[in-house]
Amino acid sequence: MATAAEAATTDANAMRRALALAARGLGSTSPNPVVGCVVLDAEGQLAGAGFHQRAGGPHAEVHALREAGERARGGTAYVTLEPCNHTGRTGPCAQALIAAGITRVVYAVADPNPQATGGADTLRAAGVRVEQGLLADEAEAGNAAWLTSVRLGRPYVRWKYAATLDGRIAAADSTSRWITSAEARADVHRLRAEADAVIVGSGTMRADDPHLAVRGTDGTDGVNQPLRVVVDTDATAVKRGARVLDDAAPTLIAVAEDADAAHLAEAGAEVVRLPRAATGLDIHALLAALHTRGVRSVLLEGGPTLAGAFVAAGAVDTVTGYLAPVLLGAGPAALADAGITTITEALRLDVTETVRVGPDLRITAVPATPVSKEH
Ligand SMILES: NC(=O)c1ccc[n+]([C@@H]2O[C@H](COP(=O)([O-])OP(=O)(O)OC[C@H]3O[C@@H](n4cnc5c(N)ncnc54)[C@H](OP(=O)(O)O)[C@@H]3O)[C@@H](O)[C@H]2O)c1
């Protein structure tokens, strides 16, 4: 018989393994969450493990139960998210766990999705012991994009920029290639592959003619290509022959309701029409339109003007800054006007990670006061 401390270690190890498995689904499960599951048999030995690999495919529990087979009977399932209770493209996982004879379920985070919630109640009603909250913070962080999109009803937004150590994203003459290293740029491709959409403003479109698709040094087969989105109010920045109009990935151009966008439709680009704001387009309408299309996470790649509008709209959930040990002394700052005029209004952030990427530094930070639904 294991001591309480040994049992706690077994639980934590199994959940950690489930979390690592869940992370392998990042970038390919949207609009679903990433989920990992580990099944230990009645003796506490590993019997099965799996993760949700792609939307429409089996859920993590199903993979793990299949691998465990008969050994699941009397065993414990560790799941990073509350097992679902609804029949979607696959059957309800709560029922699958009951049918497999699992007698204890430990999950990290409750499912906030109104259609799927209730799995824990179903399990309890069938006599299964259910525990919630093990490694919940880690599981929240691993599923931040999906949880945010369900809770706020809009995609999770990561604003990414690359700047000099003095905070500039281009030189005074607008040249900006390349501020950060090849290693940092490769890292950005990883962030792109994890996102459902990548967004730039018309200023960046005009200055850089960016391609915005995912490239990898290790080949791009099977890599998630996010939707490329250009916010081009008057449909004047995306010209015929623009690199975002190639077929490397789908592209959506957001324009004003009254913009003349005939040339974009002719070039085969998809166009979404949105209401104007005081400057440019309404950011909330843009995010709502993306959410409707099933976009759960976006990588906002700038530039500073559009990023300022997102910050002003309360629509930045995470900031990822790549800082290069380079000084410019003049040139645009990483963030333009965000509606903040005095120090007491400053958007305070908590740093969640600092990592050396080649010669550069990657800093990740989240608003100290989490973004709320009121915005
Ligand atoms: N180092 C980096 O990380 C990085 C990243 C990106 C860009 N950059 C650099 O940034 C520079 C371009 O930056 P930028 O600030 O001029 O351009 P931007 O932020 O890419 O685009 C700004 C434009 O977006 C449009 N827009 C649409 N809706 C908007 C809204 N709600 N609020 C604000 N703007 C809205 C506006 O033009 P319309 O109304 O005409 O559409 C606005 O002028 C380039 O030099 C580029 O190289 C650097």
Side-chain angles (χ1 to χ4, degrees), residues 226-274:
L227 176 70
R228 300 177 288 188
V229 181
V230 183
V231 189
D232 184 8
T233 315
D234 296 304
T236 52
V238 181
K239 305 238 165 37
R240 242 174 236 288
R243 295 172 71 218
V244 287
L245 295 179
D246 72 5
D247 56 8
T251 301
L252 180 71
I253 317 292
V255 304
E257 281 153 342
D258 57 351
D260 177 3
H263 63 293
L264 295 174
E266 276 166 32
E270 196 183 338
V271 171
V272 61
R273 293 184 176 277
L274 300 174

Side-chain angles (χ1 to χ4, degrees), residues 160-162 169-170 174 176 179 200-208 231-234 277 279-281 283 301-307 309:
K160 160 263 149 186
Y161 67 91
I169 52 87
S174 293
S176 63
I179 288 174
V200 294
S202 55
T204 301
M205 192 66 223
R206 286 194 181 94
D208 300 339
V231 189
D232 184 8
T233 315
D234 296 304
T279 306
L281 297 176
I283 299 299
E301 295 213 26
T305 306
L306 190 62

